[in-house]
Amino acid sequence: MNLTCAIIDDEPLALNLLESYVNKTPFLTLKGKYSSAVQAMRDISEKTVDLLFLDIQMPELNGLEFSKMIDANTRIIFTTAFEQYAIEGYKVNALDYLLKPISYIDFLQAANKAVQWFDLLQKPKEEIESIFVKSDYKLVQIDLDKILYIEGLKDYIKIYTEDSARPILSLMSMKAMEELLPESRFMRVHRSYIVQKQKIRVIDRGRIIFGKAYIPISDSYKQAFQLFLDKRSKS
């Protein structure tokens, strides 16, 4: 898969470094590089850009503000020297976050994550057997068959699997996770919980039980959950 990309950074050295990284990565095609978000605003809207390497702290219009103005199909990898922006970056569904100075290895990992993301989007969800999530600065592959349920926290999610006593912690939103999962296999039962339907074995007083965990079913999801149960009881 080949991805088109653009770079926005107000530091000339960082801009040139990222350009050199793009040029030696065979599956990336550079469509433009810009020293400010204002400069890039009109040009990017007229081009098809899959991936945007975007600095956060810039004059006039910062990266976080600009990220909310671009096409929703363009994925963002934030680049910044300030670690405190990581959580803010994930709140706007950034695909990844690179802390300066950026090594080529880190850059390549983030670019590969983008390829995996777009590859998943092109596949019918029913054909997806595994997903990649970032945990402890590493990409972790998780087999869908092993997921029991997912819990959403403020800025993180916890993925509980049947082969591990501890959940996998990842800095991403429940919305982003829900987009990755096939609807035929997973369903939202609460603002903070997604469960794998076929892993449900016990329901007690309106709660799904996985071992010692009790997953509540909120009122807004009860009707959809009851329809699922009705279909399952007839099959």
Side-chain angles (χ1 to χ4, degrees):
M1 177 179 288
N2 189 278
L3 300 181
T4 58
C5 67
I7 308 164
I8 306 175
D9 200 307
D10 65 329
E11 299 175 15
L13 289 177
L15 193 63
N16 291 333
L17 178 67
L18 289 174
E19 181 184 16
S20 72
Y21 287 171
V22 169
N23 288 337
K24 67 179 179 180
T25 304
F27 56 84
L28 294 179
T29 300
L30 188 63
K31 287 285 188 176
K33 62 173 186 174
Y34 311 92
S35 58
S36 74
V38 173
Q39 182 190 35
M41 194 181 305
R42 178 180 296 179
D43 202 23
I44 285 184
S45 66
E46 295 173 353
K47 293 179 178 178
T48 302
V49 176
D50 299 314
L51 187 61
L52 184 59
F53 294 94
L54 179 60
D55 188 21
I56 292 180
Q57 196 169 50
M58 295 184 290
E60 298 183 279
L61 184 65
N62 69 44
L64 290 170
E65 293 167 337
F66 183 68
S67 68
K68 298 170 185 177
M69 301 167 60
I70 64 172
D71 190 294
N73 294 318
T74 298
R75 306 310 302 177
I76 297 166
I77 294 175
F78 280 118
T79 61
T80 182
F82 301 95
E83 194 169 359
Q84 69 266 27
Y85 287 119
I87 290 177
E88 290 300 319
Y90 279 92
K91 282 182 179 177
V92 294
N93 285 331
L95 193 60
D96 212 339
Y97 172 92
L98 293 173
L99 189 63
K100 297 176 181 178
I102 300 167
S103 70
Y104 182 62
I105 291 174
D106 290 339
F107 174 90
L108 192 56
Q109 277 190 330
N112 278 321
K113 186 176 181 181
V115 170
Q116 291 158 3
W117 177 275
F118 281 98
D119 188 45
L120 285 176
L121 289 181
Q122 289 188 0
K123 285 183 179 179
K125 285 189 178 182
E126 307 312 316
E127 295 181 9
I128 296 173
E129 296 180 355
S130 64
I131 58 174
F132 285 87
V133 299
K134 194 168 186 180
S135 182
D136 293 329
Y137 303 100
K138 296 178 292 186
L139 281 174
V140 179
Q141 186 175 21
I142 304 173
D143 292 335
L144 293 187
D145 281 340
K146 295 180 179 178
I147 297 175
L148 295 173
Y149 65 97
I150 298 146
E151 179 183 7
L153 305 175
K154 185 179 179 182
D155 298 304
Y156 296 80
I157 60 168
K158 287 182 177 180
I159 303 169
Y160 292 83
T161 60
E162 57 190 8
D163 60 346
S164 177
R166 293 185 177 182
I168 298 166
L169 191 66
S170 181
L171 185 58
M172 69 185 296
S173 68
M174 285 287 277
K175 180 182 177 183
M177 172 54 73
E178 198 171 12
E179 289 175 354
L180 290 176
L181 300 172
E183 293 179 10
S184 62
R185 297 176 63 178
F186 293 85
M187 73 180 306
R188 193 88 169 254
V189 296
H190 188 278
R191 183 179 67 177
S192 301
Y193 291 97
I194 297 171
V195 299
Q196 178 154 202
K197 299 174 186 179
Q198 298 305 316
K199 300 294 183 180
I200 298 172
R201 298 290 181 267
V202 181
I203 303 168
D204 180 31
R205 288 172 286 184
R207 295 175 298 176
I208 303 165
I209 301 175
F210 291 108
K212 295 181 180 179
Y214 286 72
I215 310 300
I217 305 166
S218 66
D219 290 341
S220 56
Y221 294 97
K222 279 183 179 177
Q223 184 176 0
F225 187 72
Q226 188 59 51
L227 286 172
F228 155 70
L229 290 180
D230 291 344
K231 289 181 181 178
R232 188 165 172 179
S233 63
K234 293 174 184 177
S235 59

